[in-house]
Coordinates of all heavy atoms in Angstrom, one line a residue:
M265 N 130.0 90.8 22.6 CA 129.5 90.6 21.3 C 130.5 90.1 20.3 O 130.2 89.2 19.5 CB 128.9 91.9 20.7 CG 127.7 92.4 21.5 SD 126.3 91.3 21.4 CE 125.7 91.6 19.8
V266 N 131.7 90.6 20.3 CA 132.7 90.1 19.3 C 132.9 88.6 19.5 O 133.0 87.9 18.5 CB 134.0 90.9 19.5 CG1 135.1 90.3 18.7 CG2 133.8 92.3 19.2
W267 N 133.0 88.1 20.7 CA 133.2 86.7 20.9 C 132.1 85.8 20.4 O 132.3 84.8 19.8 CB 133.6 86.4 22.3 CG 134.9 87.0 22.7 CD1 135.1 88.0 23.5 CD2 136.1 86.6 22.2 NE1 136.4 88.3 23.6 CE2 137.1 87.5 22.7 CE3 136.6 85.7 21.2 CZ2 138.4 87.4 22.5 CZ3 137.9 85.6 20.9 CH2 138.8 86.5 21.5
L268 N 130.8 86.3 20.5 CA 129.7 85.6 19.9 C 129.8 85.6 18.4 O 129.6 84.6 17.7 CB 128.4 86.2 20.3 CG 128.0 86.0 21.8 CD1 126.7 86.7 22.1 CD2 127.8 84.5 22.1
F269 N 130.2 86.7 17.8 CA 130.3 86.8 16.4 C 131.4 85.9 15.8 O 131.3 85.3 14.8 CB 130.6 88.3 16.0 CG 130.8 88.5 14.5 CD1 129.7 88.5 13.7 CD2 132.1 88.8 14.0 CE1 129.9 88.6 12.3 CE2 132.3 88.9 12.7 CZ 131.2 88.9 11.8
R270 N 132.5 85.8 16.6 CA 133.6 85.0 16.2 C 133.7 83.7 16.9 O 134.8 83.1 17.1 CB 134.9 85.8 16.4 CG 135.1 87.0 15.6 CD 136.4 87.6 15.8 NE 136.7 88.6 14.8 CZ 137.8 89.3 14.7 NH1 138.8 89.1 15.6 NH2 138.0 90.2 13.8
R271 N 132.6 83.1 17.2 CA 132.6 81.8 17.9 C 133.3 80.7 17.2 O 133.8 79.8 17.9 CB 131.2 81.4 18.3 CG 130.3 81.0 17.1 CD 129.0 80.5 17.6 NE 128.2 80.0 16.5 CZ 127.3 80.8 15.9 NH1 127.1 82.0 16.2 NH2 126.7 80.3 14.8
L272 N 133.5 80.8 15.9 CA 134.2 79.7 15.2 C 135.7 80.1 15.0 O 136.4 79.4 14.3 CB 133.5 79.4 13.9 CG 132.1 78.9 14.0 CD1 131.5 78.6 12.6 CD2 132.1 77.6 14.8
W273 N 136.1 81.2 15.5 CA 137.5 81.7 15.4 C 138.2 81.3 16.7 O 137.8 81.6 17.8 CB 137.5 83.2 15.3 CG 137.2 83.7 13.9 CD1 136.0 83.8 13.3 CD2 138.1 84.1 12.9 NE1 136.1 84.3 12.1 CE2 137.4 84.5 11.8 CE3 139.5 84.3 12.9 CZ2 138.0 85.0 10.6 CZ3 140.1 84.7 11.7 CH2 139.4 85.1 10.6
G274 N 139.3 80.5 16.5 CA 140.1 80.2 17.7 C 141.2 81.3 17.7 O 141.6 81.8 16.7
R275 N 141.7 81.5 18.9 CA 142.8 82.5 19.1 C 144.0 81.9 19.8 O 143.9 81.3 20.9 CB 142.3 83.7 19.9 CG 143.4 84.7 20.1 CD 143.0 85.9 20.9 NE 144.1 86.9 21.0 CZ 144.2 87.9 21.8 NH1 143.2 88.1 22.7 NH2 145.2 88.7 21.9
I276 N 145.1 82.0 19.1 CA 146.4 81.7 19.8 C 146.8 82.9 20.6 O 147.1 83.9 20.0 CB 147.5 81.3 18.8 CG1 147.1 80.1 17.9 CG2 148.8 81.0 19.5 CD1 146.9 78.8 18.6
H277 N 146.7 82.9 21.9 CA 146.9 84.1 22.7 C 148.3 84.4 22.9 O 148.8 85.5 22.9 CB 146.1 84.0 24.0 CG 146.2 85.2 24.8 ND1 145.7 86.4 24.4 CD2 146.8 85.4 26.0 CE1 145.9 87.3 25.4 NE2 146.6 86.7 26.3
F278 N 149.1 83.3 23.3 CA 150.5 83.6 23.6 C 151.2 82.3 23.4 O 150.8 81.2 23.9 CB 150.5 84.0 25.1 CG 151.8 84.6 25.6 CD1 152.1 85.9 25.2 CD2 152.7 83.9 26.4 CE1 153.3 86.4 25.6 CE2 153.8 84.4 26.8 CZ 154.2 85.7 26.4
V279 N 152.3 82.3 22.7 CA 153.2 81.2 22.5 C 154.5 81.5 23.2 O 155.2 82.5 22.8 CB 153.4 80.8 21.0 CG1 154.4 79.7 20.9 CG2 152.1 80.5 20.4
A280 N 154.9 80.8 24.2 CA 156.2 81.1 24.9 C 156.9 79.8 25.3 O 156.2 78.8 25.7 CB 155.9 82.0 26.1
I281 N 158.2 79.8 25.3 CA 159.0 78.7 25.8 C 159.9 79.4 26.9 O 160.5 80.4 26.7 CB 159.9 78.2 24.7 CG1 159.1 77.7 23.5 CG2 160.8 77.0 25.2 CD1 158.2 76.5 23.7
K282 N 159.9 78.7 28.0 CA 160.7 79.2 29.1 C 162.2 79.4 28.6 O 162.7 78.5 27.9 CB 160.7 78.3 30.3 CG 159.4 78.3 31.1 CD 159.5 77.4 32.3 CE 158.2 77.5 33.1 NZ 158.4 76.8 34.4
P283 N 162.8 80.4 29.1 CA 164.2 80.7 28.6 C 165.1 79.5 28.7 O 165.9 79.2 27.8 CB 164.7 81.8 29.5 CG 163.4 82.5 29.9 CD 162.4 81.5 30.0
E284 N 165.0 78.7 29.8 CA 165.9 77.6 29.9 C 165.7 76.4 28.9 O 166.5 75.5 28.7 CB 165.9 77.0 31.4 CG 164.6 76.5 31.8 CD 163.7 77.5 32.5 OE1 163.9 78.7 32.3 OE2 162.8 77.0 33.3
H285 N 164.5 76.5 28.2 CA 164.2 75.5 27.2 C 164.2 76.1 25.8 O 163.9 75.3 24.8 CB 162.8 74.9 27.5 CG 162.8 74.2 28.8 ND1 163.5 73.0 29.0 CD2 162.2 74.5 30.0 CE1 163.3 72.6 30.3 NE2 162.6 73.5 30.9
Q286 N 164.5 77.3 25.6 CA 164.6 77.9 24.3 C 165.7 77.4 23.5 O 166.7 76.9 24.1 CB 164.7 79.5 24.4 CG 163.4 80.1 24.9 CD 163.5 81.6 25.1 OE1 164.5 82.2 24.9 NE2 162.4 82.2 25.6
G287 N 165.6 77.3 22.2 CA 166.7 76.8 21.4 C 166.6 75.3 21.3 O 167.5 74.7 20.7
K288 N 165.6 74.7 21.8 CA 165.5 73.2 21.7 C 164.4 72.7 20.7 O 164.0 71.6 20.8 CB 165.2 72.7 23.1 CG 166.2 72.9 24.1 CD 165.9 72.4 25.5 CE 167.0 72.7 26.5 NZ 166.6 72.2 27.9
K289 N 164.1 73.6 19.8 CA 163.1 73.3 18.8 C 161.8 72.9 19.3 O 161.2 71.9 18.8 CB 163.7 72.3 17.8 CG 165.0 72.8 17.1 CD 165.4 71.9 16.0 CE 166.7 72.4 15.4 NZ 166.6 73.6 14.6
L290 N 161.3 73.6 20.3 CA 160.0 73.3 20.9 C 158.8 74.1 20.4 O 157.7 73.8 20.6 CB 160.1 73.4 22.5 CG 161.1 72.5 23.1 CD1 161.2 72.8 24.6 CD2 160.7 71.0 22.9
S291 N 159.1 75.3 19.8 CA 158.0 76.2 19.5 C 157.1 75.6 18.4 O 155.9 75.8 18.4 CB 158.6 77.6 19.1 OG 159.5 77.5 18.0
K292 N 157.7 74.9 17.4 CA 156.9 74.4 16.3 C 156.0 73.3 16.8 O 154.8 73.3 16.5 CB 157.8 73.9 15.2 CG 158.4 75.0 14.4 CD 159.2 74.5 13.2 CE 159.9 75.6 12.5 NZ 160.8 75.1 11.5
P293 N 156.5 72.3 17.6 CA 155.6 71.3 18.2 C 154.5 71.9 19.1 O 153.3 71.5 19.1 CB 156.5 70.4 19.0 CG 157.8 70.6 18.4 CD 157.9 72.0 17.9
L294 N 154.9 73.0 19.8 CA 153.9 73.6 20.7 C 152.8 74.3 19.8 O 151.6 74.1 20.1 CB 154.6 74.7 21.5 CG 153.7 75.5 22.5 CD1 152.9 74.7 23.5 CD2 154.5 76.6 23.2
L295 N 153.2 75.0 18.8 CA 152.2 75.6 17.9 C 151.3 74.6 17.2 O 150.1 74.7 17.1 CB 152.8 76.6 16.9 CG 151.9 77.4 16.0 CD1 150.9 78.2 16.8 CD2 152.7 78.2 15.0
S296 N 152.0 73.5 16.7 CA 151.2 72.5 16.0 C 150.2 71.8 17.0 O 149.0 71.6 16.6 CB 152.2 71.4 15.5 OG 153.0 71.9 14.5
T297 N 150.5 71.6 18.2 CA 149.6 71.0 19.2 C 148.5 72.0 19.4 O 147.3 71.6 19.5 CB 150.3 70.7 20.5 OG1 151.4 69.7 20.2 CG2 149.4 70.2 21.5
A298 N 148.8 73.3 19.6 CA 147.7 74.2 19.8 C 146.8 74.3 18.6 O 145.5 74.4 18.8 CB 148.3 75.6 20.1
L299 N 147.3 74.3 17.4 CA 146.5 74.4 16.2 C 145.6 73.1 16.1 O 144.4 73.2 15.7 CB 147.3 74.6 15.0 CG 148.0 75.9 14.9 CD1 149.0 76.0 13.7 CD2 147.0 77.1 14.7
N300 N 146.2 72.0 16.4 CA 145.4 70.7 16.3 C 144.3 70.7 17.3 O 143.2 70.2 17.1 CB 146.3 69.5 16.5 CG 147.2 69.2 15.3 OD1 146.8 69.5 14.2 ND2 148.3 68.6 15.6
K301 N 144.5 71.3 18.5 CA 143.5 71.4 19.5 C 142.3 72.4 19.0 O 141.2 72.1 19.3 CB 144.0 72.0 20.8 CG 143.1 72.0 22.0 CD 142.7 70.5 22.3 CE 141.8 70.5 23.6 NZ 141.4 69.1 23.9
M302 N 142.7 73.4 18.3 CA 141.7 74.3 17.7 C 140.8 73.6 16.8 O 139.6 73.7 16.8 CB 142.4 75.5 17.0 CG 143.2 76.4 17.8 SD 142.1 77.5 18.8 CE 143.3 78.4 19.6
I303 N 141.4 72.7 15.9 CA 140.6 71.9 15.0 C 139.7 71.0 15.8 O 138.5 70.9 15.5 CB 141.5 71.1 14.1 CG1 142.3 72.1 13.1 CG2 140.8 70.1 13.3 CD1 143.4 71.5 12.4
E304 N 140.2 70.3 16.8 CA 139.5 69.4 17.6 C 138.3 70.1 18.3 O 137.2 69.5 18.4 CB 140.4 68.8 18.7 CG 139.8 67.8 19.6 CD 140.7 67.3 20.7 OE1 141.9 67.1 20.4 OE2 140.3 67.3 21.9
L305 N 138.5 71.3 18.7 CA 137.4 72.1 19.3 C 136.4 72.7 18.3 O 135.4 73.3 18.7 CB 138.0 73.2 20.1 CG 138.8 72.8 21.3 CD1 139.5 74.0 22.0 CD2 137.9 72.1 22.4
G306 N 136.6 72.5 17.0 CA 135.7 72.9 16.0 C 135.9 74.3 15.4 O 135.0 74.8 14.7
H307 N 137.0 74.9 15.7 CA 137.3 76.2 15.1 C 137.6 76.1 13.7 O 138.3 75.2 13.2 CB 138.5 76.9 15.9 CG 138.1 77.2 17.3 ND1 137.2 78.2 17.7 CD2 138.6 76.7 18.4 CE1 137.2 78.2 19.0 NE2 138.0 77.3 19.5
E308 N 137.0 77.0 12.9 CA 137.2 77.0 11.4 C 138.3 77.9 11.0 O 138.8 77.8 9.9 CB 135.9 77.3 10.7 CG 134.8 76.3 10.9 CD 133.5 76.7 10.3 OE1 133.4 77.8 9.7 OE2 132.5 76.0 10.5
H309 N 138.6 78.8 11.9 CA 139.7 79.8 11.6 C 140.5 80.1 12.9 O 139.9 79.9 14.0 CB 139.0 81.2 11.2 CG 138.1 81.0 10.1 ND1 138.5 80.9 8.7 CD2 136.7 81.0 10.0 CE1 137.4 80.8 8.0 NE2 136.3 80.9 8.7
V310 N 141.7 80.5 12.7 CA 142.6 80.8 13.9 C 143.2 82.1 13.6 O 143.7 82.4 12.5 CB 143.6 79.7 14.1 CG1 144.5 80.0 15.3 CG2 142.9 78.3 14.4
Y311 N 143.3 82.9 14.6 CA 144.1 84.2 14.5 C 145.0 84.4 15.7 O 144.8 83.7 16.7 CB 143.1 85.4 14.3 CG 142.4 85.8 15.6 CD1 142.9 86.9 16.3 CD2 141.3 85.1 16.0 CE1 142.2 87.3 17.4 CE2 140.6 85.6 17.2 CZ 141.1 86.6 17.9 OH 140.5 87.0 19.0
L312 N 145.9 85.2 15.6 CA 146.8 85.6 16.7 C 147.3 87.0 16.5 O 147.1 87.6 15.4 CB 148.0 84.6 16.8 CG 148.9 84.5 15.5 CD1 149.9 85.6 15.4 CD2 149.6 83.1 15.6
T313 N 147.8 87.6 17.5 CA 148.4 88.9 17.5 C 149.8 88.8 18.0 O 150.1 87.9 18.7 CB 147.6 89.9 18.3 OG1 147.6 89.5 19.7 CG2 146.2 90.1 17.8
T314 N 150.6 89.7 17.5 CA 152.0 89.7 18.0 C 152.6 91.1 17.9 O 151.9 92.0 17.6 CB 152.8 88.7 17.1 OG1 154.1 88.5 17.8 CG2 153.0 89.1 15.7
Q315 N 153.9 91.2 18.1 CA 154.5 92.5 18.0 C 155.8 92.4 17.2 O 156.3 91.3 17.0 CB 154.9 93.0 19.4 CG 155.6 92.0 20.3 CD 155.5 92.3 21.7 OE1 155.1 93.4 22.1 NE2 156.0 91.4 22.6
T316 N 156.3 93.5 16.6 CA 157.4 93.4 15.7 C 158.7 92.9 16.3 O 159.5 92.4 15.7 CB 157.7 94.8 15.1 OG1 157.9 95.8 16.1 CG2 156.5 95.2 14.2
T317 N 158.8 93.0 17.6 CA 160.0 92.5 18.3 C 160.0 91.0 18.3 O 161.1 90.4 18.6 CB 160.1 93.0 19.8 OG1 158.9 92.7 20.5 CG2 160.3 94.5 19.8
S318 N 158.9 90.3 18.0 CA 158.9 88.9 17.9 C 159.1 88.3 16.5 O 158.4 87.4 16.1 CB 157.5 88.4 18.4 OG 157.3 88.8 19.8
Y319 N 160.0 88.9 15.8 CA 160.2 88.6 14.4 C 160.5 87.1 14.2 O 160.0 86.5 13.2 CB 161.2 89.5 13.7 CG 162.6 89.4 14.2 CD1 163.5 88.5 13.7 CD2 163.0 90.3 15.2 CE1 164.8 88.5 14.2 CE2 164.3 90.2 15.7 CZ 165.2 89.3 15.2 OH 166.5 89.3 15.7
P320 N 161.2 86.4 15.0 CA 161.4 84.9 14.8 C 160.1 84.2 14.8 O 159.8 83.3 14.0 CB 162.3 84.5 15.9 CG 163.1 85.7 16.3 CD 162.1 86.8 16.2
A321 N 159.2 84.6 15.8 CA 157.9 84.0 15.9 C 157.0 84.4 14.7 O 156.3 83.5 14.1 CB 157.2 84.4 17.2
I322 N 157.1 85.6 14.2 CA 156.4 86.0 13.0 C 156.8 85.2 11.8 O 155.9 84.8 11.0 CB 156.6 87.5 12.8 CG1 155.9 88.3 13.9 CG2 156.1 87.9 11.4 CD1 156.2 89.8 13.9
N323 N 158.1 84.9 11.7 CA 158.5 84.1 10.6 C 157.9 82.7 10.7 O 157.5 82.1 9.7 CB 160.1 84.1 10.6 CG 160.6 83.6 9.2 OD1 160.2 84.1 8.2 ND2 161.5 82.7 9.3
M324 N 157.9 82.2 11.9 CA 157.3 80.8 12.0 C 155.8 80.9 11.7 O 155.3 80.0 11.0 CB 157.5 80.3 13.5 CG 156.9 79.0 13.7 SD 157.1 78.4 15.4 CE 156.1 79.5 16.3
Y325 N 155.1 81.9 12.2 CA 153.7 82.0 11.9 C 153.4 82.1 10.4 O 152.5 81.4 9.8 CB 153.0 83.2 12.5 CG 153.2 83.2 14.1 CD1 153.3 84.4 14.7 CD2 153.1 82.1 14.8 CE1 153.5 84.4 16.1 CE2 153.2 82.1 16.2 CZ 153.4 83.3 16.8 OH 153.5 83.3 18.2
L326 N 154.2 82.8 9.7 CA 154.1 82.9 8.2 C 154.4 81.6 7.6 O 153.7 81.2 6.6 CB 155.1 84.0 7.7 CG 154.8 85.4 8.0 CD1 156.0 86.3 7.7 CD2 153.6 85.9 7.3
N327 N 155.4 80.8 8.1 CA 155.7 79.5 7.6 C 154.5 78.5 7.8 O 154.3 77.6 7.0 CB 157.0 79.0 8.1 CG 158.2 79.7 7.6 OD1 158.1 80.3 6.6 ND2 159.3 79.6 8.4
Y328 N 153.7 78.7 8.8 CA 152.6 77.9 9.1 C 151.3 78.3 8.3 O 150.3 77.7 8.3 CB 152.2 78.0 10.6 CG 152.8 76.9 11.4 CD1 154.1 77.0 11.8 CD2 152.1 75.8 11.8 CE1 154.7 76.0 12.6 CE2 152.7 74.8 12.6 CZ 154.0 74.9 12.9 OH 154.6 73.9 13.7
G329 N 151.5 79.4 7.5 CA 150.3 79.8 6.7 C 149.5 81.0 7.2 O 148.6 81.4 6.6
F330 N 149.9 81.5 8.4 CA 149.2 82.7 8.8 C 149.6 83.8 7.9 O 150.6 83.9 7.3 CB 149.7 83.1 10.3 CG 149.1 82.2 11.3 CD1 149.7 81.1 11.8 CD2 147.9 82.6 11.9 CE1 149.1 80.3 12.7 CE2 147.3 81.8 12.9 CZ 147.9 80.6 13.3
E331 N 148.6 84.8 7.7 CA 148.8 85.9 6.8 C 148.6 87.2 7.5 O 147.8 87.3 8.4 CB 147.8 85.8 5.7 CG 147.9 84.6 4.8 CD 146.7 84.4 3.9 OE1 145.8 85.2 3.9 OE2 146.8 83.5 3.0
P332 N 149.4 88.2 7.2 CA 149.2 89.5 7.8 C 147.7 90.0 7.5 O 147.2 89.8 6.5 CB 150.1 90.4 7.0 CG 151.2 89.5 6.5 CD 150.5 88.2 6.2
Y333 N 147.2 90.6 8.6 CA 145.8 91.1 8.5 C 145.8 92.5 9.1 O 146.1 92.7 10.3 CB 144.9 90.2 9.2 CG 143.4 90.5 9.1 CD1 142.8 90.4 7.9 CD2 142.7 90.9 10.2 CE1 141.4 90.7 7.7 CE2 141.3 91.2 10.1 CZ 140.7 91.1 8.8 OH 139.4 91.4 8.7
D334 N 145.5 93.5 8.3 CA 145.5 94.9 8.8 C 144.3 95.6 8.3 O 144.2 96.1 7.2 CB 146.8 95.6 8.2 CG 146.9 97.0 8.8 OD1 146.2 97.4 9.7 OD2 147.8 97.7 8.2
T335 N 143.2 95.5 9.1 CA 141.9 96.0 8.7 C 141.9 97.5 8.5 O 141.1 98.0 7.7 CB 140.8 95.7 9.7 OG1 141.2 96.2 11.0 CG2 140.7 94.2 9.8
D336 N 142.7 98.3 9.3 CA 142.6 99.7 9.2 C 143.8 100.5 8.7 O 143.9 101.7 8.8 CB 142.1 100.3 10.6 CG 143.1 99.9 11.7 OD1 144.2 99.3 11.4 OD2 142.8 100.1 12.9
G337 N 144.8 99.7 8.3 CA 146.0 100.3 7.8 C 147.0 100.8 8.8 O 148.0 101.4 8.5
Q338 N 146.7 100.5 10.1 CA 147.5 101.0 11.2 C 148.8 100.2 11.3 O 149.8 100.7 12.0 CB 146.8 101.0 12.5 CG 145.6 101.9 12.5 CD 146.0 103.4 12.5 OE1 146.9 103.8 13.2 NE2 145.3 104.1 11.7
D339 N 148.9 99.0 10.8 CA 150.0 98.2 11.0 C 151.0 98.1 9.7 O 151.9 97.3 9.7 CB 149.6 96.7 11.3 CG 148.8 96.7 12.6 OD1 149.2 97.5 13.5 OD2 147.9 95.9 12.7
Q340 N 150.7 98.9 8.7 CA 151.5 98.9 7.5 C 153.0 99.1 7.8 O 153.8 98.4 7.2 CB 151.0 99.9 6.5 CG 149.6 99.6 5.9 CD 149.7 98.3 5.1 OE1 150.5 98.2 4.2 NE2 148.8 97.4 5.4
K341 N 153.3 100.0 8.6 CA 154.7 100.3 8.9 C 155.4 99.1 9.5 O 156.5 98.8 9.2 CB 154.9 101.5 9.8 CG 156.3 102.0 10.1 CD 156.3 103.3 10.9 CE 157.7 103.7 11.2 NZ 157.8 104.9 12.0
G342 N 154.7 98.5 10.4 CA 155.3 97.3 11.1 C 155.5 96.1 10.1 O 156.5 95.5 10.2
W343 N 154.5 95.9 9.2 CA 154.6 94.8 8.3 C 155.7 95.1 7.2 O 156.5 94.2 6.8 CB 153.3 94.6 7.6 CG 152.3 93.9 8.5 CD1 151.1 94.3 8.9 CD2 152.5 92.6 9.0 NE1 150.6 93.4 9.7 CE2 151.4 92.3 9.8 CE3 153.5 91.6 9.0 CZ2 151.2 91.1 10.5 CZ3 153.4 90.4 9.7 CH2 152.3 90.2 10.4
M344 N 155.9 96.4 6.9 CA 157.0 96.7 5.9 C 158.3 96.5 6.6 O 159.3 96.0 6.0 CB 156.9 98.2 5.4 CG 155.7 98.3 4.5 SD 155.5 99.9 3.7 CE 155.8 101.1 4.9
M345 N 158.4 96.8 7.9 CA 159.6 96.5 8.7 C 159.9 95.0 8.7 O 161.0 94.6 8.6 CB 159.5 97.1 10.1 CG 160.8 96.9 10.9 SD 160.8 97.5 12.6 CE 159.1 97.9 13.0
M346 N 158.9 94.2 8.9 CA 159.0 92.8 8.9 C 159.5 92.2 7.6 O 160.3 91.3 7.5 CB 157.7 92.1 9.3 CG 157.3 92.1 10.7 SD 158.6 91.4 11.8 CE 159.5 92.8 12.3
E347 N 159.0 92.8 6.5 CA 159.5 92.4 5.2 C 161.1 92.5 5.1 O 161.8 91.7 4.6 CB 158.9 93.2 4.0 CG 157.5 92.8 3.7 CD 157.0 93.5 2.5 OE1 157.3 94.7 2.3 OE2 156.2 92.9 1.7
E348 N 161.5 93.7 5.6 CA 163.0 93.9 5.6 C 163.7 93.0 6.5 O 164.7 92.4 6.2 CB 163.2 95.4 5.9 CG 164.7 95.8 5.8 CD 164.9 97.3 6.0 OE1 164.0 98.1 5.7 OE2 165.9 97.6 6.6
V349 N 163.3 92.9 7.8 CA 163.9 92.1 8.8 C 164.0 90.6 8.4 O 165.0 90.0 8.5 CB 163.3 92.3 10.2 CG1 163.8 91.3 11.2 CG2 163.5 93.7 10.7
L350 N 162.9 90.1 7.9 CA 162.8 88.7 7.5 C 163.3 88.4 6.1 O 163.4 87.3 5.7 CB 161.3 88.2 7.7 CG 160.7 88.3 9.1 CD1 159.3 88.0 9.1 CD2 161.5 87.5 10.1
D351 N 163.5 89.5 5.3 CA 164.0 89.4 3.9 C 163.0 88.4 3.2 O 163.4 87.5 2.5 CB 165.4 88.8 3.9 CG 166.0 89.0 2.5 OD1 165.6 89.9 1.7 OD2 166.9 88.2 2.1
R352 N 161.7 88.8 3.3 CA 160.7 88.0 2.5 C 159.5 89.0 2.2 O 159.2 89.8 3.0 CB 160.3 86.8 3.2 CG 159.5 87.0 4.5 CD 159.2 85.7 5.3 NE 158.2 84.9 4.7 CZ 157.8 83.7 5.2 NH1 158.4 83.2 6.3 NH2 156.9 83.0 4.6
K353 N 159.0 88.8 1.1 CA 157.8 89.6 0.6 C 156.6 89.1 1.3 O 156.3 87.9 1.3 CB 157.7 89.5 -0.9 CG 156.6 90.3 -1.5 CD 156.8 91.8 -1.4 CE 155.7 92.6 -2.1 NZ 155.4 93.8 -1.4
L354 N 155.8 90.0 1.9 CA 154.6 89.7 2.5 C 153.4 90.3 1.7 O 153.5 91.3 1.1 CB 154.5 90.3 3.9 CG 155.7 89.9 4.9 CD1 155.5 90.6 6.2 CD2 155.7 88.4 5.0
D355 N 152.3 89.6 1.7 CA 151.1 90.0 1.0 C 150.3 90.9 2.0 O 149.5 90.4 2.8 CB 150.3 88.8 0.6 CG 149.1 89.2 -0.3 OD1 149.1 90.3 -0.8 OD2 148.1 88.4 -0.3
I356 N 150.6 92.2 2.0 CA 150.1 93.1 3.0 C 148.9 93.8 2.4 O 148.9 94.4 1.3 CB 151.1 94.1 3.4 CG1 152.4 93.4 3.9 CG2 150.5 95.0 4.5 CD1 153.5 94.4 4.2

Protein backbone atom coordinates (compact mmCIF):
# COMPACT_ATOMS: atom_id res chain seq x y z
CA MET A 1 0.00 0.00 0.00
CA VAL A 2 2.75 2.47 0.80
CA TRP A 3 4.21 2.18 -2.69
CA LEU A 4 0.83 2.84 -4.29
CA PHE A 5 0.39 5.88 -2.06
CA ARG A 6 3.84 7.16 -2.92
CA ARG A 7 3.82 6.31 -6.59
CA LEU A 8 5.10 9.78 -7.47
CA TRP A 9 7.94 9.52 -4.94
CA GLY A 10 11.26 8.26 -6.24
CA ARG A 11 13.72 6.70 -3.84
CA ILE A 12 17.48 6.87 -3.99
CA HIS A 13 18.15 3.54 -2.36
CA PHE A 14 21.92 3.36 -2.25
CA VAL A 15 24.72 5.57 -3.55
CA ALA A 16 28.10 3.92 -3.54
CA ILE A 17 31.42 4.22 -5.29
CA LYS A 18 33.75 1.22 -5.32
CA PRO A 19 36.70 1.81 -2.98
CA GLU A 20 39.21 1.84 -5.84
CA HIS A 21 37.29 4.72 -7.46
CA GLN A 22 36.56 6.77 -4.34
CA GLY A 23 38.12 10.20 -4.13
CA LYS A 24 37.73 10.78 -7.87
CA LYS A 25 34.75 13.13 -7.53
CA LEU A 26 32.26 10.59 -8.92
CA SER A 27 29.53 10.77 -6.26
CA LYS A 28 28.05 14.09 -7.41
CA PRO A 29 27.76 13.05 -11.06
CA LEU A 30 26.29 9.72 -9.94
CA LEU A 31 23.67 11.41 -7.76
CA SER A 32 22.90 13.99 -10.46
CA THR A 33 22.34 11.22 -13.00
CA ALA A 34 20.06 9.34 -10.61
CA LEU A 35 18.04 12.48 -9.85
CA ASN A 36 17.71 13.31 -13.55
CA LYS A 37 16.44 9.77 -14.16
CA MET A 38 13.84 10.27 -11.41
CA ILE A 39 12.60 13.38 -13.21
CA GLU A 40 12.57 11.52 -16.52
CA LEU A 41 10.46 8.77 -14.93
CA GLY A 42 7.93 11.34 -13.72
CA HIS A 43 8.69 11.40 -10.02
CA GLU A 44 7.62 14.64 -8.38
CA HIS A 45 9.51 14.01 -5.14
CA VAL A 46 12.63 12.07 -4.17
CA TYR A 47 13.62 10.70 -0.79
CA LEU A 48 16.47 8.68 0.62
CA THR A 49 17.56 7.19 3.90
CA THR A 50 21.03 7.07 5.35
CA GLN A 51 22.94 6.57 8.57
CA THR A 52 24.99 8.94 10.71
CA THR A 53 28.24 7.23 9.77
CA SER A 54 27.69 8.49 6.22
CA TYR A 55 28.23 12.12 7.16
CA PRO A 56 30.14 13.06 3.95
CA ALA A 57 27.18 11.75 1.95
CA ILE A 58 24.73 13.54 4.24
CA ASN A 59 26.57 16.78 3.62
CA MET A 60 26.32 16.20 -0.14
CA TYR A 61 22.60 15.42 0.12
CA LEU A 62 22.06 18.63 2.06
CA ASN A 63 23.97 20.55 -0.60
CA TYR A 64 21.65 19.06 -3.22
CA GLY A 65 18.64 20.40 -1.34
CA PHE A 66 17.53 17.30 0.54
CA GLU A 67 16.10 18.18 3.94
CA PRO A 68 16.02 16.22 7.21
CA TYR A 69 12.68 14.52 7.69
CA ASP A 70 11.79 13.06 11.06
CA THR A 71 8.12 12.18 11.30
CA ASP A 72 8.18 10.69 14.79
CA GLY A 73 11.09 12.43 16.54
CA GLN A 74 13.16 9.24 16.66
CA ASP A 75 16.02 10.75 14.64
CA GLN A 76 16.52 14.00 16.55
CA LYS A 77 19.66 12.80 18.32
CA GLY A 78 21.24 11.75 15.03
CA TRP A 79 20.41 15.05 13.33
CA MET A 80 21.80 17.04 16.25
CA MET A 81 24.98 14.98 15.97
CA MET A 82 25.11 15.79 12.25
CA GLU A 83 24.84 19.51 13.00
CA GLU A 84 27.94 19.21 15.16
CA VAL A 85 29.93 16.92 12.85
CA LEU A 86 29.13 18.94 9.72
CA ASP A 87 29.34 22.29 11.53
CA ARG A 88 26.14 23.50 9.90
CA LYS A 89 22.69 24.34 11.20
CA LEU A 90 19.96 21.98 10.02
CA ASP A 91 16.25 22.71 9.87
CA ILE A 92 15.14 19.78 11.99
